[in-house]
Amino acid sequence: MTREEVKEMLPVLQAFADGKTIESRCIKGEKSLWYDEEDPSFDNDFEYRIKPEINYRPFKNAEECWDEMKKHQPFGWIKCKEGYFNIVYVDDDYAGLADPDGSSILLESKNSYQDNTFADGTPFGMKVEE
């Protein structure tokens, strides 16, 4: 391995040591898809990279939020650090969440995608296509 190859591989090795997910793909012949590696061998037949993070953004408006909600099951549920809540309404700024005891409605900003997920574990926001 050359010094330049080591310099190129060093961030990947450090990321692996830090617990980040490493992906690999075969470089012989036609390039294949990237696969997660639990225990990468770092041999010369594969190309390695740090698994890219998936980014999310807030919903633009109520319609975009509603359209995304329809893709997740169970429909209309969100997971917050306080537990699971049913979404009872959506407007351009907030999603209304039913209080578990039914006495009130909590407002959850649709910009809170970093802290909340749909019940299926997907972040409560729109995936940013790169």
Side-chain angles (χ1 to χ4, degrees):
M1 185 177 268
T2 68
R3 290 181 196 274
E4 289 305 313
E5 290 171 326
V6 170
K7 286 179 186 177
E8 187 178 313
M9 185 60 84
L10 195 56
V12 176
L13 294 169
Q14 184 62 54
F16 180 62
D18 292 342
K20 293 187 178 175
T21 301
I22 304 302
E23 294 182 322
S24 70
R25 69 179 177 183
C26 185
I27 58 175
K28 293 191 175 199
E30 196 172 317
K31 288 196 175 180
S32 63
L33 297 174
W34 290 97
Y35 294 96
D36 289 358
E37 287 282 346
E38 283 190 32
D39 193 16
S41 61
F42 295 109
D43 65 36
N44 292 333
D45 292 335
F46 291 89
E47 180 177 21
Y48 296 91
R49 72 176 184 185
I50 303 164
K51 185 173 186 171
E53 292 184 20
I54 299 173
N55 294 315
Y56 287 81
R57 63 166 175 77
F59 297 110
K60 291 179 185 173
N61 53 41
E63 183 177 347
E64 185 178 66
C65 181
W66 185 259
D67 288 343
E68 186 64 21
M69 285 172 53
K70 292 189 278 187
K71 300 175 187 175
H72 300 276
Q73 295 298 322
F75 176 78
W77 285 87
I78 187 172
K79 182 180 180 185
C80 305
K81 60 185 168 200
E82 297 85 4
Y84 290 90
F85 293 89
N86 184 241
I87 299 171
V88 293
Y89 80 89
V90 175
D91 67 19
D92 285 345
D93 298 311
Y94 295 96
L97 307 178
D99 195 334
D101 67 10
S103 64
S104 63
I105 294 177
L106 309 171
L107 296 178
E108 187 64 53
S109 167
K110 291 196 314 285
N111 295 332
S112 61
Y113 60 94
Q114 295 171 341
D115 299 323
N116 303 316
T117 66
F118 288 103
D120 64 10
T122 306
F124 186 66
M126 292 297 296
K127 183 176 177 181
V128 176
E129 300 296 332
E130 297 180 26

